[in-house]
């Protein structure tokens, strides 16, 4: 006679999963399966058991950047497309940067990102005059430049490139330079520098961060800000920036999320990377490197253009070329993929320091 008090565990419980086929998998097979999951499913898998959590931590033990571009004419469609792409593989967003065309409302993009990655993830959204990246669906490299005054004429003005980063062993946050409209810029710059140093000290115990990515208001002279910031930081701190027309941001510290109003106006924002003094054992140190150049130097084989075709509807140039001494025709896609493969093999991130480069 069956025992009426005995109950069978649900077939979906993690414990039963481990006592049935999943527990028989070796570590390599488990990691192979988990590494193919999209970010949301990957996050859920990390909570199944200690074994699965350890496997997930092993998969995401190194820095990772995930980026995608979309030129879809509907802003919401383009935004959803790039977000789905960057989150289609295992990643835990430590920060997000979105660069959008004139057809976007940057505040709407910020709200979308906050809803998707959470209010504790630092986010910067800025309007730009051009973008370059790998298409979210076709995986081809795309480049587009918008012409001032033609916003309503060119449908591709809704282009967007989204980058999400995972940097284990570092703490990341957005710190704004908020200028009181009636106050001199100098006094607010001093506070901006002090805010960065205070945040870094609270995270790492030292006052200089590993790196700073700055986005500045295009109508504000950024040179005095950078000079003061560069003077205040150690020589090891990497600083890179860009002047853009408009930007919005979200910091993990609610007190820093001050909207533009009659009293305050953000002249710049800094994405600050500071060492985490409480980082887990086994996580190495991320190093930022930089390279300075007055221009682009030719490296590798020389290429000679074979054909050039301009596609006016998308303001895109299609290029084919051949290497010197060879007859094989290479298209732009092949050339960019070769460059991308070389970059992906690099162990370090190379960033220019002390220069503020305008977006083309």
């Amino acid at each position: 006679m069956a025992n009426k008090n005995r109950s069978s565990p649900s077939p979906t419980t993690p414990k039963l999963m481990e006592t049935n086929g999943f527990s028989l998998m070796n570590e390599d097979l488990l990691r192979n399966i988990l590494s193919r999951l999209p970010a949301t499913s990957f996050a859920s898998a990390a909570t199944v058991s200690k074994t699965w959590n350890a496997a997930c931590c092993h998969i995401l033990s190194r820095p990772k950047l995930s980026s995608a571009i979309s030129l879809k004419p509907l802003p919401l469609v383009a935004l959803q497309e790039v977000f789905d792409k960057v989150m289609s593989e295992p990643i835990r967003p430590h920060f997000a940067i979105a660069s959008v065309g004139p057809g976007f409302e940057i505040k709407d993009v910020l709200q979308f990102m906050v809803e998707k990655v959470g209010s504790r993830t630092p986010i910067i959204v800025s309007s730009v005059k051009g973008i370059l990246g790998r298409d979210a669906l076709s995986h081809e490299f795309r480049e587009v430049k918008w012409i001032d005054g033609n916003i309503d004429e060119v449908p591709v003005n809704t282009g967007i490139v989204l980058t999400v980063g995972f940097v284990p062993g570092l703490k990341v946050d957005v710190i704004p330079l908020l200028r009181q409209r009636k106050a001199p810029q100098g006094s607010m710059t001093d506070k901006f520098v002090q805010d960065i140093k205070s945040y870094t000290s609270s995270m790492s115990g030292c006052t200089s961060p590993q790196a700073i990515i700055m986005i500045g208001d295009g109508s504000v002279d950024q040179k005095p800000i950078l000079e003061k910031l560069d003077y205040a930081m150690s020589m090891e701190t990497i600083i890179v920036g860009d002047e853009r027309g408009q930007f919005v941001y979200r910091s993990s510290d609610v007190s820093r999320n001050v909207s533009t109003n009659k009293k305050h106006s953000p002249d710049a924002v800094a994405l600050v990377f500071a060492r985490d003094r409480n980082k887990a054992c086994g996580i190495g140190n991320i190093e930022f490197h930089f390279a300075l150049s007055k221009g682009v130097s030719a490296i590798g084989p020389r290429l000679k253009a074979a054909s050039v075709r301009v596609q006016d509807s998308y303001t895109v140039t299609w290029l084919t070329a051949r290497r010197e001494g060879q007859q094989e025709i290479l298209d732009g896609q092949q050339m960019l993929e070769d460059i991308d493969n070389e970059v992906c093999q690099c162990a370090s991130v190379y960033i220019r320091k002390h220069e503020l480069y305008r977006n083309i």
Side-chain angles (χ1 to χ4, degrees):
M1 186 174 180
N3 187 347
K4 295 182 179 180
N5 294 326
R6 181 177 299 169
S7 59
S8 299
S10 169
T12 59
T13 60
K15 189 171 184 179
L16 187 61
M17 289 168 61
E18 287 224 342
T19 57
N20 289 338
F22 289 96
S23 63
L24 301 178
M25 289 190 298
N26 59 41
E27 289 186 8
D28 289 340
L29 180 57
L30 177 61
R31 290 173 185 172
N32 185 281
I33 294 173
L34 294 176
S35 65
R36 300 172 186 270
L37 295 177
T40 303
S41 299
F42 182 82
S44 299
T47 66
V48 168
S49 68
K50 291 183 179 180
T51 301
W52 284 37
N53 182 268
C56 290
C57 290
H58 183 273
I59 293 170
L60 282 183
S61 59
R62 295 185 176 183
K64 184 175 184 179
L65 292 177
S66 183
S67 182
I69 187 175
S70 176
L71 302 179
K72 290 296 176 63
L74 296 177
L76 184 58
V77 174
L79 181 55
Q80 186 67 58
E81 188 173 271
V82 293
F83 179 80
D84 290 344
K85 178 58 180 178
V86 299
M87 300 296 283
S88 65
E89 54 190 30
I91 194 168
R92 294 168 182 158
H94 286 169
F95 67 90
I97 301 175
S99 301
V100 302
F104 276 90
E105 291 290 338
I106 56 177
K107 291 184 178 180
D108 292 344
V109 178
L110 178 63
Q111 184 59 37
F112 176 94
M113 291 301 301
V114 170
E115 293 175 357
K116 293 295 185 180
V117 300
S119 60
R120 302 290 295 177
T121 303
I123 305 167
I124 298 177
V125 181
S126 61
S127 60
V128 295
K129 295 182 179 180
I131 54 177
L132 171 69
R134 190 183 289 275
D135 189 272
L137 296 183
S138 68
H139 306 295
E140 295 181 351
F141 278 94
R142 306 294 300 275
E143 180 182 8
V144 62
K145 177 181 178 182
W146 295 289
I147 303 173
D148 293 337
N150 291 336
I151 294 178
D152 296 329
E153 300 175 13
V154 184
V156 81
N157 274 276
T158 52
I160 176 175
V161 57
L162 174 64
T163 301
V164 171
F166 170 74
V167 282
L170 296 181
K171 290 290 188 178
V172 189
D173 205 358
V174 173
I175 297 178
L177 193 171
L178 292 172
R179 176 172 54 87
Q180 294 182 2
R181 294 189 181 277
K182 295 184 179 181
Q185 186 189 62
S187 62
M188 301 308 295
T189 302
D190 291 338
K191 183 180 184 305
F192 175 60
V193 173
Q194 187 56 48
D195 286 345
I196 293 175
K197 296 175 74 172
S198 297
Y199 168 75
T200 305
S201 178
S202 67
M203 295 295 110
S204 64
C206 63
T207 57
S208 290
Q210 295 299 107
I212 299 172
I213 298 177
M214 277 188 59
I215 303 295
D217 188 329
S219 64
V220 177
D221 184 7
Q222 300 293 319
K223 186 176 180 180
I225 302 173
L226 279 178
E227 288 177 346
K228 187 165 292 189
L229 188 62
D230 183 53
Y231 179 80
M233 300 299 159
S234 71
M235 289 298 295
E236 287 71 32
T237 299
I238 305 301
I239 305 173
V240 63
D242 193 10
E243 288 181 336
R244 302 184 179 184
Q246 294 180 319
F247 61 85
V248 290
Y249 69 94
R250 177 60 61 96
S251 170
S252 63
D253 186 339
V254 179
S255 65
R256 298 194 187 107
N257 296 323
V258 180
S259 301
T260 302
N261 51 46
K262 294 182 179 180
K263 294 184 178 180
H264 296 90
S265 175
D267 284 354
V269 288
L271 190 65
V272 181
F273 298 81
R275 289 203 187 280
D276 182 5
R277 69 171 105 196
N278 298 318
K279 69 177 182 179
C281 295
I283 295 179
N285 294 326
I286 296 176
E287 294 185 355
F288 292 81
H289 298 266
F290 66 90
L292 296 177
S293 174
K294 295 182 179 179
V296 179
S297 301
I299 299 176
R302 292 181 176 274
L303 299 174
K304 183 177 181 180
S307 66
V308 178
R309 179 167 58 90
V310 178
Q311 188 172 337
D312 294 330
S313 60
Y314 287 98
T315 322
V316 172
T317 301
W318 296 94
L319 171 71
T320 62
R322 62 168 59 93
R323 295 187 182 93
E324 278 190 348
Q326 298 184 18
Q327 296 300 317
E328 180 187 6
I329 301 296
L330 305 175
D331 60 23
Q333 179 67 24
Q334 289 174 288
M335 290 183 280
L336 287 172
E337 284 183 351
D338 289 342
I339 295 172
D340 184 59
N341 290 335
E342 290 292 332
V343 171
C344 290
Q345 293 174 7
C346 292
S348 303
V349 178
Y350 291 87
I351 303 177
R352 290 187 175 96
K353 184 181 181 182
H354 303 159
E355 289 286 338
L356 185 66
Y357 292 93
R358 292 182 180 274
N359 193 44
I360 297 177

